[in-house]
Amino acid sequence: MTTLSHRHCRAFLPEKLFLPRDFFIPEVVATKATLALEIGAGRGKHALSFAIAHSDCHLIAIERTKNKFMAFEKSALQQLLPNLTAIHADAIAWTVFALPPKRLSRIFILYPNPEQHNPNQQWLNMPFFEFLLSRLQTGGEIVLASNIEAYIDNSETQARDVWQLKVERARVPDSSQRTHFEVKYLARGEACWQLTMIKPNGYQTRFDDWLPKES
Ligand SMILES: C[S@@+](CC[C@H](N)C(=O)[O-])C[C@H]1O[C@@H](n2cnc3c(N)ncnc32)[C@H](O)[C@@H]1O
Protein backbone atom coordinates (compact mmCIF):
# COMPACT_ATOMS: atom_id res chain seq x y z
CA MET A 1 0.00 0.00 0.00
CA THR A 2 1.33 3.47 -0.89
CA THR A 3 0.42 6.30 1.46
CA LEU A 4 1.76 9.72 0.69
CA SER A 5 4.45 11.15 2.86
CA HIS A 6 2.31 14.07 4.00
CA ARG A 7 5.02 15.97 5.78
CA HIS A 8 6.48 16.90 2.38
CA CYS A 9 3.41 18.68 1.08
CA ARG A 10 0.97 21.32 2.25
CA ALA A 11 -2.60 20.06 2.14
CA PHE A 12 -4.75 21.23 -0.75
CA LEU A 13 -7.99 22.90 0.43
CA PRO A 14 -10.68 22.10 -2.16
CA GLU A 15 -13.45 23.57 0.03
CA LYS A 16 -11.92 27.04 -0.51
CA LEU A 17 -12.55 26.99 -4.27
CA PHE A 18 -15.48 28.61 -6.07
CA LEU A 19 -17.64 26.93 -8.67
CA PRO A 20 -16.39 27.89 -12.17
CA ARG A 21 -18.60 30.23 -14.21
CA ASP A 22 -21.16 28.42 -16.44
CA PHE A 23 -20.25 25.18 -14.67
CA PHE A 24 -21.81 21.91 -15.74
CA ILE A 25 -20.80 18.29 -15.36
CA PRO A 26 -20.68 16.49 -18.73
CA GLU A 27 -23.04 13.48 -18.72
CA VAL A 28 -20.16 11.14 -19.56
CA VAL A 29 -18.68 11.63 -16.09
CA ALA A 30 -21.53 9.63 -14.51
CA THR A 31 -21.24 6.76 -17.02
CA LYS A 32 -18.82 3.85 -17.13
CA ALA A 33 -17.04 5.23 -20.23
CA THR A 34 -13.25 5.40 -20.12
CA LEU A 35 -12.39 9.01 -19.34
CA ALA A 36 -9.24 11.07 -19.91
CA LEU A 37 -8.49 14.68 -18.94
CA GLU A 38 -6.25 17.22 -20.66
CA ILE A 39 -5.16 20.25 -18.65
CA GLY A 40 -4.12 23.34 -20.63
CA ALA A 41 -5.30 22.11 -24.03
CA GLY A 42 -4.40 25.36 -25.82
CA ARG A 43 -5.99 25.45 -29.29
CA GLY A 44 -6.85 21.76 -28.99
CA LYS A 45 -4.49 20.14 -31.49
CA HIS A 46 -3.74 17.18 -29.23
CA ALA A 47 -7.32 16.92 -27.94
CA LEU A 48 -8.78 16.64 -31.44
CA SER A 49 -6.27 14.10 -32.71
CA PHE A 50 -6.44 12.06 -29.49
CA ALA A 51 -10.25 11.88 -29.70
CA ILE A 52 -10.08 10.81 -33.37
CA ALA A 53 -7.48 8.10 -32.60
CA HIS A 54 -9.17 6.79 -29.40
CA SER A 55 -12.88 6.41 -30.08
CA ASP A 56 -13.11 4.10 -27.03
CA CYS A 57 -12.06 6.91 -24.66
CA HIS A 58 -13.84 10.20 -23.87
CA LEU A 59 -11.49 13.15 -23.48
CA ILE A 60 -12.38 16.23 -21.45
CA ALA A 61 -9.94 18.96 -22.49
CA ILE A 62 -9.75 22.15 -20.43
CA GLU A 63 -8.27 25.50 -21.45
CA ARG A 64 -8.34 28.63 -19.28
CA THR A 65 -7.27 31.32 -21.77
CA LYS A 66 -10.27 32.66 -23.65
CA ASN A 67 -8.85 33.23 -27.13
CA LYS A 68 -7.14 29.84 -27.17
CA PHE A 69 -10.30 28.15 -25.93
CA MET A 70 -12.39 29.88 -28.63
CA ALA A 71 -10.07 28.57 -31.36
CA PHE A 72 -10.26 25.10 -29.78
CA GLU A 73 -14.04 25.22 -29.48
CA LYS A 74 -14.38 26.32 -33.13
CA SER A 75 -12.35 23.32 -34.35
CA ALA A 76 -14.22 20.99 -31.98
CA LEU A 77 -17.58 22.23 -33.28
CA GLN A 78 -16.44 21.73 -36.89
CA GLN A 79 -15.35 18.15 -36.24
CA LEU A 80 -18.22 17.20 -33.88
CA LEU A 81 -16.41 14.35 -32.16
CA PRO A 82 -18.78 12.52 -29.81
CA ASN A 83 -15.94 11.56 -27.44
CA LEU A 84 -14.49 15.06 -26.93
CA THR A 85 -15.70 17.73 -24.48
CA ALA A 86 -13.98 21.14 -24.61
CA ILE A 87 -14.24 23.12 -21.37
CA HIS A 88 -13.35 26.78 -20.78
CA ALA A 89 -12.32 26.91 -17.13
CA ASP A 90 -9.53 26.79 -14.63
CA ALA A 91 -8.68 23.08 -14.52
CA ILE A 92 -8.13 23.12 -10.75
CA ALA A 93 -11.59 24.35 -9.75
CA TRP A 94 -13.24 22.37 -12.55
CA THR A 95 -11.63 19.09 -11.47
CA VAL A 96 -12.61 19.68 -7.84
CA PHE A 97 -16.29 20.22 -8.64
CA ALA A 98 -16.77 17.83 -11.56
CA LEU A 99 -14.80 14.64 -11.04
CA PRO A 100 -15.38 11.86 -8.51
CA PRO A 101 -12.45 9.90 -7.07
CA LYS A 102 -10.69 7.34 -9.32
CA ARG A 103 -12.61 8.38 -12.43
CA LEU A 104 -9.77 9.11 -14.89
CA SER A 105 -7.69 6.61 -16.81
CA ARG A 106 -5.27 9.21 -18.22
CA ILE A 107 -4.30 12.81 -17.64
CA PHE A 108 -2.34 14.91 -20.13
CA ILE A 109 -0.38 18.02 -19.18
CA LEU A 110 1.44 18.95 -22.37
CA TYR A 111 3.88 21.87 -22.37
CA PRO A 112 2.57 23.60 -19.25
CA ASN A 113 3.59 27.19 -18.57
CA PRO A 114 7.22 26.92 -17.38
CA GLU A 115 6.68 28.97 -14.18
CA GLN A 116 10.46 29.38 -13.86
CA HIS A 117 10.08 32.40 -11.56
CA ASN A 118 7.28 30.83 -9.56
CA PRO A 119 8.14 27.15 -9.12
CA ASN A 120 5.27 26.73 -6.62
CA GLN A 121 3.00 26.94 -9.67
CA GLN A 122 4.63 23.98 -11.43
CA TRP A 123 2.07 21.17 -11.41
CA LEU A 124 4.03 18.63 -9.37
CA ASN A 125 4.96 21.27 -6.78
CA MET A 126 1.32 22.16 -6.14
CA PRO A 127 -0.74 20.69 -3.27
CA PHE A 128 -3.50 20.28 -5.93
CA PHE A 129 -1.44 17.45 -7.45
CA GLU A 130 -2.52 15.18 -4.57
CA PHE A 131 -6.16 15.94 -5.40
CA LEU A 132 -5.50 15.23 -9.08
CA LEU A 133 -3.99 11.85 -8.12
CA SER A 134 -7.12 11.02 -6.13
CA ARG A 135 -9.15 11.41 -9.37
CA LEU A 136 -6.90 8.94 -11.23
CA GLN A 137 -7.67 5.21 -11.31
CA THR A 138 -5.20 2.66 -9.99
CA GLY A 139 -2.80 1.95 -12.85
CA GLY A 140 -3.87 5.21 -14.54
CA GLU A 141 -1.21 7.48 -16.00
CA ILE A 142 -0.29 11.13 -16.13
CA VAL A 143 1.66 12.27 -19.18
CA LEU A 144 3.66 15.48 -18.76
CA ALA A 145 5.74 16.97 -21.58
CA SER A 146 8.03 20.00 -21.60
CA ASN A 147 10.90 21.58 -23.50
CA ILE A 148 12.34 22.89 -20.21
CA GLU A 149 14.77 20.28 -18.92
CA ALA A 150 14.76 21.73 -15.39
CA TYR A 151 10.95 21.43 -15.27
CA ILE A 152 11.18 17.76 -16.23
CA ASP A 153 14.08 17.12 -13.80
CA ASN A 154 12.15 18.65 -10.92
CA SER A 155 8.90 16.91 -11.86
CA GLU A 156 10.66 13.56 -12.08
CA THR A 157 12.17 14.02 -8.61
CA GLN A 158 8.83 15.15 -7.16
CA ALA A 159 7.00 12.25 -8.82
CA ARG A 160 9.34 9.70 -7.26
CA ASP A 161 10.16 11.26 -3.88
CA VAL A 162 6.99 13.12 -2.88
CA TRP A 163 4.21 11.51 -4.89
CA GLN A 164 5.72 8.01 -4.90
CA LEU A 165 4.73 7.22 -8.47
CA LYS A 166 6.30 4.91 -11.00
CA VAL A 167 7.96 7.19 -13.55
CA GLU A 168 9.28 6.71 -17.07
CA ARG A 169 11.22 9.49 -18.76
CA ALA A 170 11.67 9.71 -22.52
CA ARG A 171 12.82 12.15 -25.19
CA VAL A 172 9.95 13.23 -27.45
CA PRO A 173 10.75 12.06 -31.01
CA ASP A 174 11.66 14.90 -33.39
CA SER A 175 8.81 13.83 -35.67
CA SER A 176 6.14 14.24 -32.97
CA GLN A 177 3.48 16.89 -33.64
CA ARG A 178 0.96 16.49 -30.81
CA THR A 179 0.52 20.15 -29.85
CA HIS A 180 1.19 23.59 -31.28
CA PHE A 181 3.94 24.20 -28.74
CA GLU A 182 5.54 20.81 -29.43
CA VAL A 183 5.59 21.55 -33.18
CA LYS A 184 7.17 24.96 -32.51
CA TYR A 185 9.88 23.70 -30.14
CA LEU A 186 10.87 20.71 -32.26
CA ALA A 187 10.96 22.84 -35.43
CA ARG A 188 13.44 25.14 -33.63
CA GLY A 189 15.64 22.08 -32.97
CA GLU A 190 14.94 22.12 -29.20
CA ALA A 191 14.80 18.90 -27.21
CA CYS A 192 11.49 17.99 -25.58
CA TRP A 193 10.98 15.42 -22.81
CA GLN A 194 8.07 13.48 -21.45
CA LEU A 195 7.31 11.83 -18.13
CA THR A 196 4.76 9.05 -17.86
CA MET A 197 3.72 8.61 -14.23
CA ILE A 198 1.69 5.60 -13.10
CA LYS A 199 -0.52 5.44 -9.99
CA PRO A 200 0.45 2.24 -8.16
CA ASN A 201 -1.85 -0.34 -6.56
CA GLY A 202 -3.11 0.54 -3.09
CA TYR A 203 -2.24 4.23 -3.48
CA GLN A 204 -4.00 6.48 -0.95
CA THR A 205 -4.51 10.25 -0.82
CA ARG A 206 -6.33 12.50 1.63
CA PHE A 207 -9.05 13.11 -0.99
CA ASP A 208 -10.09 9.56 -1.80
CA ASP A 209 -13.50 10.08 -0.15
CA TRP A 210 -13.79 13.84 -0.73
CA LEU A 211 -16.78 15.12 -2.74
CA PRO A 212 -18.00 18.72 -3.08
CA LYS A 213 -20.96 19.70 -0.90
CA GLU A 214 -24.31 19.79 -2.74
CA SER A 215 -25.10 23.44 -3.47
C1 LIG B 1 2.29 26.79 -22.92
S1 LIG B 1 0.60 26.57 -23.25
C2 LIG B 1 0.54 24.95 -24.00
C3 LIG B 1 -0.76 24.70 -24.71
C4 LIG B 1 -0.86 23.32 -25.39
N1 LIG B 1 -0.87 22.27 -24.39
C5 LIG B 1 0.25 23.13 -26.37
O1 LIG B 1 1.20 22.39 -26.03
O2 LIG B 1 0.21 23.71 -27.45
C6 LIG B 1 -0.06 26.21 -21.62
C7 LIG B 1 -1.56 26.35 -21.58
O3 LIG B 1 -2.05 25.94 -20.31
C8 LIG B 1 -3.15 26.76 -19.99
N2 LIG B 1 -3.35 26.68 -18.54
C9 LIG B 1 -2.46 27.01 -17.58
N3 LIG B 1 -2.98 26.81 -16.35
C10 LIG B 1 -4.23 26.33 -16.56
C11 LIG B 1 -5.28 25.95 -15.69
N4 LIG B 1 -5.14 26.03 -14.34
N5 LIG B 1 -6.42 25.51 -16.22
C12 LIG B 1 -6.59 25.45 -17.56
N6 LIG B 1 -5.63 25.80 -18.44
C13 LIG B 1 -4.47 26.24 -17.94
C14 LIG B 1 -2.74 28.13 -20.47
O4 LIG B 1 -3.85 28.97 -20.68
C15 LIG B 1 -2.02 27.78 -21.76
O5 LIG B 1 -2.89 27.82 -22.87
Side-chain angles (χ1 to χ4, degrees):
M1 177 172 296
T2 308
T3 307
L4 287 176
S5 174
H6 294 148
R7 66 183 180 278
H8 289 302
C9 40
R10 283 176 291 125
F12 177 61
L13 299 173
E15 62 280 2
K16 298 272 183 209
L17 294 184
F18 294 103
L19 202 65
R21 199 183 304 165
D22 302 328
F23 178 76
F24 68 96
I25 300 180
E27 282 176 18
V28 66
V29 172
T31 71
K32 290 196 184 316
T34 304
L35 194 64
L37 178 73
E38 182 169 352
I39 293 179
R43 294 168 195 278
K45 182 172 170 56
H46 171 264
L48 291 158
S49 51
F50 178 88
I52 290 167
H54 299 86
S55 54
D56 55 341
C57 178
H58 193 105
L59 177 66
I60 297 177
I62 308 182
E63 174 51 51
R64 184 176 64 184
T65 302
K66 189 166 184 190
N67 64 346
K68 290 188 188 181
F69 174 76
M70 284 168 70
F72 174 21
E73 189 182 40
K74 190 173 167 197
S75 310
L77 286 171
Q78 278 164 359
Q79 302 208 27
L80 274 186
L81 299 166
N83 60 330
L84 175 62
T85 305
I87 300 279
H88 181 214
D90 182 306
I92 295 178
W94 194 89
T95 299
V96 161
F97 287 102
L99 296 177
K102 297 193 174 166
R103 183 63 187 88
L104 301 169
S105 62
R106 289 166 103 174
I107 300 169
F108 296 98
I109 308 175
L110 302 177
Y111 304 92
N113 294 334
E115 308 290 359
Q116 278 156 312
H117 301 296
N118 199 0
N120 287 340
Q121 295 300 311
Q122 293 184 8
W123 288 100
L124 279 92
N125 292 345
M126 284 198 256
F128 167 71
F129 201 74
E130 182 180 349
F131 190 94
L132 190 61
L133 285 168
S134 75
R135 272 44 196 161
L136 190 62
Q137 294 162 1
T138 300
E141 64 180 35
I142 302 183
V143 176
L144 171 79
S146 179
N147 64 324
I148 313 277
E149 194 169 12
Y151 194 120
I152 291 290
D153 289 345
N154 172 65
S155 300
E156 185 178 7
T157 304
Q158 293 286 96
R160 288 189 207 286
D161 296 352
V162 175
W163 305 115
Q164 299 170 35
L165 304 171
K166 291 187 215 159
V167 189
E168 280 173 28
R169 177 178 176 141
R171 191 76 192 255
V172 175
D174 291 343
S175 58
S176 187
Q177 302 200 338
R178 287 174 299 183
T179 78
H180 287 103
F181 277 74
E182 186 167 82
V183 169
K184 179 172 78 177
Y185 298 137
L186 292 174
R188 291 202 303 228
E190 290 181 28
C192 296
W193 291 270
Q194 175 166 311
L195 299 179
T196 304
M197 299 167 267
I198 312 281
K199 182 174 176 176
N201 259 330
Y203 195 90
Q204 292 184 345
T205 81
R206 288 169 283 193
F207 303 105
D208 293 347
D209 299 318
W210 192 94
L211 291 171
K213 290 201 178 77
E214 301 277 332
S215 51

